[in-house]
Amino acid sequence: AQSVTQPDARVTVSEGASLQLRCKYSYFGTPYLFWYVQYPRQGLQLLLKYYPGDPVVQGVNGFEAEFSKSNSSFHLRKASVHWSDWAVYFCAVNSGYNKLTFGKGTVLLVSP
Amino acid sequence: EAAVTQSPRSKVAVTGGKVTLSCHQTNNHDYMYWYRQDTGHGLRLIHYSYVADSTEKGDIPDGYKASRPSQENFSLILELASLSQTAVYFCASSEHGESAETLYFGSGTRLTVL
């Protein structure tokens, strides 16, 4: 069965520093992968999504992610973190009929 | 911009009582979903629907019913609420249910069962 692992429950980054949030997936076949962000007291919003093609995907607000089939990974990156990036980030894989299997999420804390 | 609204925003229910959570979308989307979010578990799919008057079971349907009376509305029903159903519930919609489509989420309903 498909699964998503986000090994870091919490990540703290200084404002202006670079960021990487890790995501490992398990899926038989060609995966469609997503990163969603949840800001405080809000629903989830799409950051970016991958479907077969260029392994590096650009998203909103300077985020990008890189798909690696050999490593079964889809890590999220940002070159310079802003305080407004403080949120919970979810990686997800499509399970068919657009049903998503989510990871447990990574809380991103931004320190001044 | 897609719009999915949930009501109520929060609710306190008693064990054994009936709870109905409502979701309304104005996007003309075919698919609607109910997820629950628990600390340490991410989001898990409860029920979904791809057409009015039809619902499908997701990954954790036990203890929940769903109703899709129209394309715009999708309800989640807890006939006998239990303590273990305390969670945040999210409704979402997508246009056609294809693999790479974006899901549009509501702001969530925080349910506390006492």
Side-chain angles (χ1 to χ4, degrees), chain B residues 2 49 54 56 84 103:
Chain B
S49 168
S54 177
E56 305 293 332
S84 64
L103 264 64

Side-chain angles (χ1 to χ4, degrees), chain B residues 33-81:
Chain B
Y33 312 81
W34 277 107
Y35 286 87
R36 67 175 278 173
Q37 182 182 35
D38 301 274
T39 303
H41 285 279
L43 277 76
R44 292 179 288 175
L45 181 64
I46 307 170
H47 285 288
Y48 67 100
S49 168
Y50 54 85
V51 68
D53 295 322
S54 177
T55 63
E56 305 293 332
K57 294 181 179 179
D59 298 324
I60 54 165
D62 293 344
Y64 302 94
K65 290 173 55 178
S67 173
R68 182 101 181 262
S70 64
Q71 186 189 38
E72 298 81 14
N73 295 293
F74 191 36
S75 298
L76 185 68
I77 303 154
L78 290 66
E79 295 279 6
L80 295 170

Side-chain angles (χ1 to χ4, degrees), chain A residues 36 38 41 43 46 49 94 104, chain B residues 9 37 40 99-100 103 106:
Chain A
Y36 280 84
Q38 183 181 25
R41 294 176 298 281
L46 181 71
K49 57 185 173 183
N94 186 281
K104 294 181 178 181
Chain B
R9 187 66 184 250
Q37 182 182 35
S99 297
L103 264 64

